[in-house]
């Protein structure tokens, strides 16, 4: 049954990943868009903390975790996101629905494997600067698209408490932008269309270690490193003179020949480390830190003099609690209760202001009776950006649901 479900879900996500607009943020104009969370809802509900060597949940952050799987694991998750965009001159609300990940983990003795599809970045914005003054210059900007990752990884258990792993990611996607400039009360303007077809490969390596520090208490650590790489960006620029109506329906008057170029977009290296303590199948509290030397992935079509890309850094604290994982009398005691807090310095600088993200997360893991599978619910509340220097502050609330389904594959059948 799970195999049929995986095939159907793969077909669905392969279609949706090309079509979905995974964000509605003016900050997605910069770089290659908003960088999405890389992980399952189980980890996201703990603010990204992913340090435990779990045998039934896949960990997308660290490929060393695949070696600890005991059951074939299929994970799928999605999010309904709401935002309130606030500036000194006004506010607006947005909504979006996205599929966040599809992944399969396979136990193979001392080895383990994982593969799947996850969105890496999303572009989605509509910005306008309009004036009623005759002769004033007006602009309308919009963008859509993003980058996706197909990944394949292998983990190996060197010792019962120590594992290593590596995975390879193939990145692909398209970003499209539309810019219209015109003078007030003049129904003719200039339109610029940009399309960037992006592709490239990057590698990720990791280790996980756990040790007993008392009869019940365990220490967990996780170290992960993403190697520096680059994306090939095939860019096409189209500039034309257009007529437009009051509803901004556009008709082309004159068009220049397409301008084509190919460039490399740098993908900086990233290192993350996490540690935690806890009692197996009872509770865990831990933290994660991550660092990138630079956050920028600037392309030729979105360069701006008031924008800079500095160092990226993040810190998060989170954990879970299970009252009694094997309780027969109470379903509520078998529920996993999760929570966490996070702070992220994105590295993006606009008008000399740092664009930072902070928030808290909550989640529930609802076990499916008679199996190791579960349904996960998550909630995230936070803010990003600032209203200083004529910028936009985003206050967001995300509601997520995820499925972690387990089964046994590759069992040898015995006949009498």
């Amino acid at each position: 049954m799970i195999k049929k479900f995986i095939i159907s879900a793969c077909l669905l996500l392969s279609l949706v990943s090309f079509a979905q607009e995974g964000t509605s943020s003016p900050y997605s104009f910069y770089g290659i868009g908003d960088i999405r969370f890389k992980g399952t809802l189980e980890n996201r509900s703990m603010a990204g903390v992913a340090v435990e060597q779990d045998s039934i949940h896949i960990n997308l952050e660290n490929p060393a975790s695949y070696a600890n799987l005991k059951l074939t694991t299929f994970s799928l998750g999605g999010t309904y996101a709401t935002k309130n965009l606030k500036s000194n001159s006004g506010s607006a609300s947005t909504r979006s629905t996205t599929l966040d990940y599809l992944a399969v983990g396979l136990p193979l003795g001392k080895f383990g494997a994982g593969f799947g599809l996850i969105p890496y970045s999303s572009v989605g914005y509509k910005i306008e600067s309009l004036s009623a003054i005759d002769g004033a210059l007006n602009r309308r900007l919009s963008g859509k698209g993003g980058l996706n990752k197909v990944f394949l990884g292998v983990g190996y258990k060197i010792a019962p408490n120590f594992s290593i792993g590596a995975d390879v990611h193939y990145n692909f996607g398209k970003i499209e932008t539309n810019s219209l400039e015109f003078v007030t009360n003049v129904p003719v303007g200039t339109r610029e269309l940009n399309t960037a077809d992006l592709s490239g490969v990057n590698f990720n390596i990791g280790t996980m270690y756990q040790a007993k520090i008392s009869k019940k208490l365990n220490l967990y650590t996780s170290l992960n490193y993403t190697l520096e790489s680059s994306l090939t960006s095939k860019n096409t620029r189209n500039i034309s003179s257009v007529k437009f109506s009051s509803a901004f329906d556009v008709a082309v008057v004159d068009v220049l020949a397409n301008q084509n170029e190919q460039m490399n977009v740098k993908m900086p290296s990233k290192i993350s480390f996490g540690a935690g303590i806890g009692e197996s199948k009872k509770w865990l509290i831990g933290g994660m830190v991550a660092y990138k030397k630079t956050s920028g992935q600037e392309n030729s079509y979105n360069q701006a003099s008031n924008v800079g890309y500095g160092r990226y850094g993040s810190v998060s604290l989170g954990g879970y609690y299970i009252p009694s994982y094997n309780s027969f009398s109470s379903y509520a005691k078998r529920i996993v209760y999760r929570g966490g807090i996070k702070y992220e310095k994105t590295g993006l600088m606009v008008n000399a202001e740092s664009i930072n993200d902070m928030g808290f997360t909550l989640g529930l893991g609802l076990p499916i009776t008679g199996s190791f599978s579960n349904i996960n619910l998550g909630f995230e509340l936070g803010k990003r950006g600032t209203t200083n220097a004529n910028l936009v502050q985003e206050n967001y609330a995300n509601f997520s649901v995820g499925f972690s389904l387990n089964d046994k594959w590759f069992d040898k059948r015995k006949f009498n």
Side-chain angles (χ1 to χ4, degrees), residues 101-167:
Y101 58 89
L102 182 152
V104 177
L106 303 173
L108 303 169
K110 285 189 175 184
F111 287 90
F115 61 91
L117 174 65
I118 52 176
Y120 177 74
S121 72
S122 295
V123 175
Y125 60 87
K126 294 179 181 178
I127 307 169
E128 62 181 18
S129 175
L130 305 179
S131 174
I133 301 174
D134 284 346
L137 182 65
N138 302 272
R139 297 188 73 189
R140 287 172 58 91
L141 308 173
S142 64
K144 63 180 181 178
L147 196 65
N148 301 292
K149 282 179 176 283
V150 174
F151 70 91
L152 172 64
V154 176
Y156 177 69
K157 188 174 282 295
I158 295 177
N161 59 350
F162 181 65
S163 58
I164 60 174
D167 57 16

Side-chain angles (χ1 to χ4, degrees), residues 96-305:
S96 61
T97 303
T98 60
L99 283 170
D100 297 332
Y101 58 89
L102 182 152
V104 177
L106 303 173
L108 303 169
K110 285 189 175 184
F111 287 90
F115 61 91
L117 174 65
I118 52 176
Y120 177 74
S121 72
S122 295
V123 175
Y125 60 87
K126 294 179 181 178
I127 307 169
E128 62 181 18
S129 175
L130 305 179
S131 174
I133 301 174
D134 284 346
L137 182 65
N138 302 272
R139 297 188 73 189
R140 287 172 58 91
L141 308 173
S142 64
K144 63 180 181 178
L147 196 65
N148 301 292
K149 282 179 176 283
V150 174
F151 70 91
L152 172 64
V154 176
Y156 177 69
K157 188 174 282 295
I158 295 177
N161 59 350
F162 181 65
S163 58
I164 60 174
D167 57 16
V168 57
H169 297 234
Y170 175 68
N171 310 293
F172 65 97
K174 177 185 288 188
I175 296 174
E176 299 174 325
T177 69
N178 185 330
S179 172
L180 175 64
E181 292 189 355
F182 60 96
V183 175
T184 302
N185 294 327
V186 177
V188 178
T190 301
R191 184 184 68 177
E192 179 178 319
L193 301 177
N194 287 284
T195 301
D197 286 296
L198 302 157
S199 63
V201 175
N202 72 287
F203 298 91
N204 191 43
I205 56 177
T207 67
M208 299 189 80
Y209 175 78
Q210 69 178 42
K212 281 276 187 184
I213 56 178
S214 71
K215 185 177 180 180
K216 290 186 176 181
L217 213 54
N218 296 312
L219 170 69
Y220 304 98
T221 64
S222 172
L223 178 65
N224 192 71
Y225 182 70
T226 301
L227 282 69
E228 182 179 309
S229 61
S230 64
L231 295 170
T232 299
S233 181
K234 297 179 179 179
N235 301 335
T236 301
R237 174 175 294 170
N238 175 277
I239 299 176
S240 58
S241 299
V242 296
K243 288 183 177 180
F244 55 90
S245 66
S246 57
F248 291 100
D249 295 323
V250 172
V252 175
V253 176
D254 190 20
V255 61
L256 299 178
N258 285 349
Q259 302 174 31
N260 299 308
E261 68 167 343
Q262 181 172 306
M263 63 177 295
N264 291 326
V265 179
K266 181 180 178 182
M267 300 282 282
S269 61
K270 178 183 177 182
I271 187 169
S272 60
F273 174 76
I277 58 172
E279 181 181 343
S280 180
K281 301 177 183 177
K282 185 68 176 180
W283 64 271
L284 170 79
I285 184 167
M288 295 280 292
V289 293
Y291 171 82
K292 283 192 291 190
K293 187 175 181 180
T294 177
S295 64
Q297 290 118 6
E298 191 176 51
N299 209 320
S300 60
Y301 61 84
N302 60 4
Q303 295 174 349
S305 59

